[in-house]
Protein backbone atom coordinates (compact mmCIF):
# COMPACT_ATOMS: atom_id res chain seq x y z
CA UNK A 1 0.00 0.00 0.00
CA UNK A 2 1.31 3.46 -0.93
CA UNK A 3 0.29 5.02 2.38
CA UNK A 4 2.72 7.92 2.00
CA UNK A 5 1.54 9.17 -1.35
CA UNK A 6 -1.65 7.64 -2.69
CA UNK A 7 -2.17 8.19 -6.41
CA UNK A 8 -4.67 10.92 -7.28
CA UNK A 9 -8.07 9.68 -8.44
CA UNK A 10 -10.09 12.88 -7.91
CA UNK A 11 -8.16 16.12 -7.48
CA UNK A 12 -8.72 18.75 -4.82
CA UNK A 13 -9.98 21.18 -7.49
CA UNK A 14 -12.48 18.68 -8.86
CA UNK A 15 -13.78 17.94 -5.36
CA UNK A 16 -14.16 21.61 -4.45
CA UNK A 17 -16.02 22.40 -7.68
CA UNK A 18 -18.37 19.44 -7.22
CA UNK A 19 -19.05 20.23 -3.55
CA UNK A 20 -19.94 23.82 -4.48
CA UNK A 21 -22.32 22.58 -7.21
CA UNK A 22 -23.98 20.17 -4.76
CA UNK A 23 -24.35 22.93 -2.17
CA UNK A 24 -26.01 25.21 -4.71
CA UNK A 25 -28.38 22.44 -5.75
CA UNK A 26 -29.27 21.60 -2.13
CA UNK A 27 -29.81 25.28 -1.26
CA UNK A 28 -32.14 25.64 -4.25
CA UNK A 29 -34.06 22.41 -3.54
CA UNK A 30 -34.83 23.23 0.09
CA UNK A 31 -35.85 26.77 -0.78
CA UNK A 32 -34.91 28.40 2.51
CA UNK A 33 -36.27 25.61 4.72
CA UNK A 34 -34.09 24.63 7.64
CA UNK A 35 -31.99 21.54 7.13
CA UNK A 36 -30.51 19.18 9.68
CA UNK A 37 -27.31 17.77 8.21
CA UNK A 38 -26.48 14.41 9.75
CA UNK A 39 -22.85 13.50 9.19
CA UNK A 40 -21.81 9.88 9.41
CA UNK A 41 -18.63 9.59 11.45
CA UNK A 42 -15.88 9.47 10.85
CA UNK A 43 -15.51 9.52 7.08
CA UNK A 44 -17.91 12.36 6.26
CA UNK A 45 -16.35 15.00 8.49
CA UNK A 46 -14.47 16.93 5.82
CA UNK A 47 -17.19 16.63 3.16
CA UNK A 48 -19.74 17.77 5.74
CA UNK A 49 -17.57 20.71 6.81
CA UNK A 50 -17.12 21.95 3.24
CA UNK A 51 -20.66 21.22 2.06
CA UNK A 52 -22.31 22.84 5.08
CA UNK A 53 -20.26 26.02 4.75
CA UNK A 54 -21.27 26.46 1.10
CA UNK A 55 -25.03 26.28 1.71
CA UNK A 56 -27.10 29.43 1.65
CA UNK A 57 -30.02 28.03 3.70
CA UNK A 58 -30.39 27.70 7.49
CA UNK A 59 -28.77 24.47 8.71
CA UNK A 60 -27.77 22.67 11.85
CA UNK A 61 -25.30 19.82 12.26
CA UNK A 62 -25.71 16.43 13.91
CA UNK A 63 -23.49 13.38 13.86
CA UNK A 64 -24.10 9.67 14.00
CA UNK A 65 -21.53 6.93 14.16
CA UNK A 66 -21.82 3.45 12.73
CA UNK A 67 -19.37 0.68 12.26
CA UNK A 68 -19.45 -1.81 9.43
CA UNK A 69 -15.81 -2.56 8.74
CA UNK A 70 -13.17 -3.89 11.08
CA UNK A 71 -10.40 -1.35 10.70
CA UNK A 72 -9.61 -2.41 7.17
CA UNK A 73 -11.35 -2.99 3.89
CA UNK A 74 -13.11 -6.31 4.47
CA UNK A 75 -16.83 -5.94 5.11
CA UNK A 76 -17.97 -7.53 8.34
CA UNK A 77 -21.57 -7.63 7.18
CA UNK A 78 -23.86 -6.11 9.78
CA UNK A 79 -24.07 -2.39 10.44
CA UNK A 80 -23.66 -1.48 14.10
CA UNK A 81 -24.95 1.80 15.56
CA UNK A 82 -22.28 3.39 17.73
CA UNK A 83 -23.89 6.80 18.31
CA UNK A 84 -27.32 8.15 17.36
CA UNK A 85 -28.22 11.83 16.83
CA UNK A 86 -28.41 13.86 20.04
CA UNK A 87 -30.81 16.56 18.93
CA UNK A 88 -34.53 16.06 18.30
CA UNK A 89 -35.05 15.66 14.55
CA UNK A 90 -38.77 14.96 14.68
CA UNK A 91 -40.56 17.09 12.08
CA UNK A 92 -37.28 18.35 10.60
CA UNK A 93 -35.78 17.98 7.13
CA UNK A 94 -32.86 15.58 7.44
CA UNK A 95 -29.98 15.22 4.99
CA UNK A 96 -27.73 12.23 5.70
CA UNK A 97 -24.18 13.07 4.65
CA UNK A 98 -22.04 10.03 3.86
CA UNK A 99 -18.50 9.77 2.60
CA UNK A 100 -18.91 6.76 0.34
CA UNK A 101 -21.55 4.24 -0.64
CA UNK A 102 -20.14 0.82 -1.43
CA UNK A 103 -22.63 -2.05 -1.06
CA UNK A 104 -25.30 0.40 0.13
CA UNK A 105 -26.08 -1.52 3.33
CA UNK A 106 -24.90 1.28 5.62
CA UNK A 107 -26.92 4.00 3.91
CA UNK A 108 -30.01 1.82 3.76
CA UNK A 109 -29.71 1.17 7.49
CA UNK A 110 -29.21 4.88 8.19
CA UNK A 111 -32.26 5.94 6.19
CA UNK A 112 -34.37 3.50 8.21
CA UNK A 113 -32.83 4.72 11.47
CA UNK A 114 -33.47 8.39 10.64
CA UNK A 115 -37.06 7.66 9.61
CA UNK A 116 -37.67 6.06 13.01
CA UNK A 117 -37.18 9.54 14.50
CA UNK A 118 -40.15 10.78 12.44
CA UNK A 119 -38.51 13.64 10.53
CA UNK A 120 -40.41 15.71 7.93
CA UNK A 121 -38.17 14.27 5.21
CA UNK A 122 -35.00 12.25 4.73
CA UNK A 123 -32.62 12.72 1.81
CA UNK A 124 -29.08 11.52 1.22
CA UNK A 125 -25.80 13.02 0.05
CA UNK A 126 -22.66 11.01 -0.65
CA UNK A 127 -19.35 12.21 -1.95
CA UNK A 128 -18.49 8.97 -3.74
CA UNK A 129 -20.33 5.86 -4.92
CA UNK A 130 -18.82 2.58 -6.05
CA UNK A 131 -21.39 1.98 -8.76
CA UNK A 132 -20.40 -1.63 -9.48
CA UNK A 133 -20.48 -2.71 -5.84
CA UNK A 134 -24.14 -2.01 -5.09
CA UNK A 135 -25.89 -4.89 -3.33
CA UNK A 136 -29.01 -3.04 -2.25
CA UNK A 137 -31.04 -0.39 -4.00
CA UNK A 138 -30.63 2.91 -2.21
CA UNK A 139 -31.28 6.43 -3.49
CA UNK A 140 -28.50 9.02 -3.33
CA UNK A 141 -30.15 12.38 -3.85
CA UNK A 142 -26.88 14.32 -4.05
CA UNK A 143 -23.90 12.41 -5.40
CA UNK A 144 -20.39 13.74 -5.85
CA UNK A 145 -18.67 11.11 -7.98
CA UNK A 146 -19.03 7.56 -9.27
CA UNK A 147 -15.88 5.48 -9.08
CA UNK A 148 -14.90 1.90 -9.84
CA UNK A 149 -14.24 -0.87 -7.37
CA UNK A 150 -11.07 0.44 -5.76
CA UNK A 151 -10.20 1.39 -2.19
CA UNK A 152 -10.05 5.16 -1.89
CA UNK A 153 -8.63 7.41 0.81
CA UNK A 154 -8.44 11.12 1.55
CA UNK A 155 -10.96 13.94 2.03
CA UNK A 156 -12.20 12.10 5.14
CA UNK A 157 -11.85 8.56 3.83
CA UNK A 158 -9.35 6.21 5.41
CA UNK A 159 -7.63 2.91 5.07
CA UNK A 160 -7.08 1.60 8.62
CA UNK A 161 -7.32 5.21 9.89
CA UNK A 162 -4.61 6.48 7.56
CA UNK A 163 -4.81 9.25 4.94
CA UNK A 164 -8.07 10.87 6.10
CA UNK A 165 -6.71 14.40 5.82
CA UNK A 166 -5.41 14.27 2.26
CA UNK A 167 -6.99 17.17 0.31
CA UNK A 168 -7.69 14.89 -2.67
CA UNK A 169 -9.13 11.39 -3.15
CA UNK A 170 -6.48 8.83 -3.91
CA UNK A 171 -6.42 5.08 -4.13
CA UNK A 172 -4.47 2.43 -2.29
CA UNK A 173 -4.18 -1.31 -2.60
CA UNK A 174 -5.60 -2.97 0.51
CA UNK A 175 -3.40 -5.68 1.92
CA UNK A 176 -6.20 -7.69 3.56
CA UNK A 177 -8.38 -8.69 0.61
P1 LIG B 1 -21.41 -0.02 2.50
O1 LIG B 1 -22.31 -0.35 3.65
O2 LIG B 1 -20.83 -1.25 1.86
O3 LIG B 1 -22.06 0.89 1.48
O4 LIG B 1 -20.15 0.68 3.10
C1 LIG B 1 -20.09 1.98 3.32
C2 LIG B 1 -18.96 2.29 4.29
O5 LIG B 1 -17.78 1.52 4.04
C3 LIG B 1 -18.54 3.72 4.09
O6 LIG B 1 -19.28 4.58 4.91
C4 LIG B 1 -17.07 3.68 4.45
O7 LIG B 1 -16.92 3.89 5.84
C5 LIG B 1 -16.62 2.30 4.12
N1 LIG B 1 -15.93 2.23 2.81
C6 LIG B 1 -16.34 1.54 1.73
N2 LIG B 1 -15.47 1.68 0.70
C7 LIG B 1 -14.50 2.50 1.14
C8 LIG B 1 -13.29 3.03 0.53
O8 LIG B 1 -12.96 2.80 -0.64
N3 LIG B 1 -12.53 3.81 1.33
C9 LIG B 1 -12.86 4.12 2.61
N4 LIG B 1 -13.97 3.66 3.22
C10 LIG B 1 -14.78 2.85 2.49
MG1 LIG C 1 -18.63 5.68 6.45
Amino acid sequence: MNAENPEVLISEEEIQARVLALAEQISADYGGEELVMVGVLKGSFIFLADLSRRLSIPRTIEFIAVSSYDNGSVASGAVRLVMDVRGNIEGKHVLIVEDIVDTGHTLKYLIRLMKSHRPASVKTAALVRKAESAEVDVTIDYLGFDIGDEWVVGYGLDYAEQNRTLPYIGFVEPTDS
Side-chain angles (χ1 to χ4, degrees), residues 69 98-100 102-106 130 150-152 157-158:
Y69 287 83
E98 252 288 33
D99 50 0
I100 185 164
D102 186 357
T103 63
H105 288 290
T106 305
K130 293 187 187 176
E150 54 223 323
W151 196 264
V152 289
L157 292 153
D158 75 308

Side-chain angles (χ1 to χ4, degrees), residues 48-124:
L48 176 68
D50 284 349
L51 185 66
S52 62
R53 288 179 296 173
R54 283 161 179 72
L55 293 179
S56 55
I57 53 173
R59 65 278 190 187
T60 59
I61 308 294
E62 291 284 339
F63 285 104
I64 48 180
V66 289
S67 168
S68 53
Y69 287 83
D70 279 326
N71 217 27
S73 67
V74 180
S76 62
V79 181
R80 189 166 61 89
L81 180 66
V82 177
M83 184 186 85
D84 203 346
V85 288
R86 290 206 206 163
N88 182 7
I89 60 169
E90 189 174 337
K92 308 253 177 84
H93 294 288
V94 167
L95 179 65
I96 300 171
V97 181
E98 252 288 33
D99 50 0
I100 185 164
V101 178
D102 186 357
T103 63
H105 288 290
T106 305
L107 191 57
K108 190 167 185 157
Y109 169 85
L110 291 174
I111 292 169
R112 210 176 332 121
L113 177 71
M114 288 303 105
K115 283 186 174 164
S116 74
H117 292 291
R118 306 204 298 150
S121 68
V122 178
K123 284 194 179 184
T124 56

